[in-house]
Amino acid sequence: SATFNDADVMFAQMMIPHHEQALEMIALIPERTSNPDLPKLAGRMEVSQTDEIRLLEAWLTARGEEEPSGEHHHGPQHEQLMPGMLTDAEMDQLASARGPTFDRLFLQYMIRHHEGAVIMAQDLTDSGGGQEPSIFQLSQLIAGDQGIEIARMKQMLTQL
């Protein structure tokens, strides 16, 4: 059976902070939106991304690899390393928005963020990673979940 490689480890180590930033974005919703559909969507995202983080951490631990720690998704390099990541300025813009402006920004930024995760999953297999069945399945799960949520968010944007 296939074993994991450096591309697999990098995927797991980068997807954790990628998901953590999405959770930070989701945490902004309760105080900033009056749209009843946004918290429902965000609840689904929060559950799936939290579960996926746990799976990625467990995958790394089982293979004796390091988990990322701390505020590793803040700083000037994160958006170059991980597609779809918001800059600190974009996170500040989102945090300061309210009402329909927040809703629109949240959806636009989260669509881009999710598209970045799909790119990361594709890059995994394009780079020769994903040969081990468990990391391949996990990357496909992430890409599938994100794709479904992208479609829903694009639909929500047209209704704003």
Side-chain angles (χ1 to χ4, degrees):
S1 92
T3 60
F4 71 97
N5 61 30
D6 289 344
D8 299 326
V9 173
M10 180 177 284
F11 171 79
Q13 289 173 334
M14 292 176 72
M15 190 58 74
I16 291 168
H18 199 274
H19 277 13
E20 287 174 342
Q21 187 182 65
L23 293 173
E24 284 183 25
M25 294 168 67
I26 290 165
L28 298 173
I29 289 174
E31 305 269 326
R32 292 168 178 80
T33 189
S34 57
N35 181 337
D37 293 330
L38 204 53
K40 292 174 190 173
L41 173 71
R44 181 191 190 291
M45 283 189 230
E46 184 175 19
V47 168
S48 64
Q49 299 226 352
T50 300
D51 287 347
E52 290 164 3
I53 288 170
R54 286 188 194 122
L55 289 169
L56 291 161
E57 290 171 341
W59 186 90
L60 288 166
T61 299
R63 284 146 189 85
E65 298 292 335
E66 286 187 39
E67 293 178 30
S69 61
E71 294 291 312
H72 42 269
H73 59 277
H74 292 283
Q77 294 87 12
H78 71 257
E79 59 268 14
Q80 286 90 27
L81 295 174
M82 295 176 273
M85 292 290 283
L86 274 64
T87 64
D88 291 338
E90 289 169 329
M91 283 295 294
D92 290 344
Q93 180 187 26
L94 185 62
S96 65
R98 300 287 184 276
T101 302
F102 172 83
D103 298 347
R104 185 171 310 287
L105 273 177
F106 178 87
L107 291 169
Q108 290 169 340
Y109 284 163
M110 191 61 84
I111 288 167
R112 187 182 88 202
H113 198 270
H114 275 31
E115 289 171 343
V118 172
I119 290 167
M120 290 170 68
Q122 183 62 50
D123 286 350
L124 173 65
T125 53
D126 289 350
S127 67
Q131 299 304 308
E132 182 189 64
S134 60
I135 197 69
F136 176 76
Q137 290 168 354
L138 186 51
S139 71
Q140 296 307 295
L141 170 72
I142 290 168
D145 278 352
Q146 305 275 310
I148 291 166
E149 291 168 358
I150 289 167
R152 177 67 182 122
M153 288 185 288
K154 285 181 176 181
Q155 180 185 33
M156 288 174 74
L157 256 179
T158 66
Q159 297 169 350
L160 291 181

